[in-house]
Amino acid sequence: MPQETYSHGHHESVVRTHAGRTAEDSAAYLLPRLSPGMDLLDVGCGPGSITLGLAAAVAPGLATGLDASEEVVGLAALAAAERGVENVRFRAGDVYELPWPDASFDVVHAHQVLHHLADPVAALREMRRVTRPGGLVAVREADFAAMSWYPQLPELEEWMDLYQRIARGNGAEPDGGRRLLGWALEAGFTDVDPSASSWLYATPERRREHGGSWAERVLHSAFAEQALERGLADRPALERISAGWRRWAEDPAGWFLMPSAEILARA
Ligand SMILES: C[S@@+](CC[C@H](N)C(=O)[O-])C[C@H]1O[C@@H](n2cnc3c(N)ncnc32)[C@H](O)[C@@H]1O
């Protein structure tokens, strides 16, 4: 496996956020293209909540979730068992070296994975390799610099600056969304359907979820470890940013828009 660092890490505060995602809120652009009996691969599946929704859409076809982290793959398998989903399997592995022969799946999906990688084009080539000719590679990626929020708290500006430096220090491209179409073309896809969609955090519940998660992540997750180890921030700065996130979450006018790019690329 290549020596890359996944910027968010797998602290409970991170994995909890990922486990709240669904196929409906994260893969709506793909769902109408799925039909019963398809074989689907979800790379960088995390705790598997999106994979389970995709599995429902292809049943009785098989959905496979793959992630670099053994730990989250274990959580995904647990979630599947708890929900009694039988047409799904999870395994650890690397998107750069997928453990399947050419043309193994009808659909290969990735959600919020490529902008964490040092070589997203190589990942897309590998995803295409395991897709049957005529099948689909479906990817959705955030664009950090395109995120917007209100009120414009200086602590959130500080958070964005720090996140950009941490991710770029890992060789990743946090503004991956706007580059996704270009990456697909560079990987050799010629038939690519681009789209975009956003998540909005602007209700008390959604603000609590988003602001509360980041307030915790900046103090306790890999975000904090990397910022401190690399001398990008000190503890008081992290405390300040965390408090800023809580202040944002409590503001009844608080708004945070997170846009993502999507592609449906024909293999
Ligand atoms: C932001 S999370 C997204 C998880 C899930 N797709 C979702 O949207 O909730 C990115 C995931 O990609 C995984 N990942 C990072 N590098 C990887 C690699 N080289 N191969 C496979 N998975 C990888 C991480 O372990 C992490 O679980």
Side-chain angles (χ1 to χ4, degrees):
M1 210 170 276
Q3 288 309 301
E4 288 187 9
T5 303
Y6 165 50
S7 302
H8 292 318
H10 296 97
H11 185 263
E12 197 271 329
S13 54
V14 175
V15 174
R16 187 181 55 212
T17 305
H18 296 165
R21 296 175 182 167
T22 64
E24 288 73 22
D25 68 26
S26 301
Y29 70 105
L30 170 63
L31 284 174
R33 311 295 281 269
L34 300 181
S35 50
M38 285 179 161
D39 284 327
L40 179 144
L41 172 65
D42 186 16
V43 303
C45 64
S49 56
I50 299 172
T51 326
L52 294 183
L54 299 176
V58 300
L62 182 65
T64 302
L66 172 137
D67 199 282
S69 161
E70 295 267 2
E71 189 192 333
V72 290
V73 160
L75 293 174
L78 208 62
E82 276 170 9
R83 289 208 224 158
V85 181
E86 288 182 355
N87 67 320
V88 72
R89 60 181 175 178
F90 292 97
R91 62 169 294 172
D94 183 5
V95 64
Y96 292 120
E97 266 179 276
L98 294 170
W100 290 283
D102 297 356
S104 293
F105 300 93
D106 300 304
V107 177
V108 178
H109 166 261
H111 185 253
Q112 311 298 2
V113 178
L114 298 191
H115 73 270
H116 292 295
L117 303 178
D119 195 346
V121 173
L124 279 167
R125 285 198 188 104
E126 181 64 355
M127 290 167 71
R128 188 181 52 180
R129 181 187 68 74
V130 299
T131 308
R132 297 193 177 111
L136 282 179
V137 170
V139 182
R140 184 169 187 267
E141 294 295 325
D143 191 314
F144 270 69
M147 293 177 188
S148 57
W149 58 84
Y150 181 84
Q152 225 117 26
L153 302 178
E155 296 90 338
L156 267 65
E157 305 287 346
E158 222 180 324
W159 163 79
M160 173 59 76
D161 178 60
L162 197 47
Y163 181 75
Q164 289 273 350
R165 288 194 285 153
I166 289 170
R168 290 180 193 287
N170 292 332
E173 176 48 78
D175 309 337
R178 71 192 66 186
R179 292 170 170 82
L180 181 56
L181 175 59
W183 288 342
L185 297 175
E186 202 181 328
F189 290 97
T190 52
D191 180 357
V192 185
D193 182 7
S195 57
S197 62
S198 298
W199 289 334
L200 175 65
Y201 302 92
T203 61
E205 192 190 27
R206 291 286 277 162
R207 269 195 302 273
R208 248 193 320 275
E209 177 197 318
H210 187 56
S213 163
W214 272 111
E216 214 178 314
R217 287 164 72 164
V218 298
L219 293 180
H220 304 298
S221 72
F223 182 98
E225 286 158 24
Q226 294 168 89
L228 295 170
E229 273 164 18
R230 297 177 197 172
L232 301 173
D234 55 16
R235 215 8 104 181
L238 296 181
E239 302 276 0
R240 185 171 61 240
I241 296 171
S242 174
W245 270 113
R246 292 210 186 278
R247 210 145 51 85
W248 171 84
E250 283 158 16
D251 191 324
W255 174 280
F256 195 106
L257 187 68
M258 192 184 290
S260 284
E262 301 151 349
I263 52 159
L264 286 171
R266 185 75 54 195

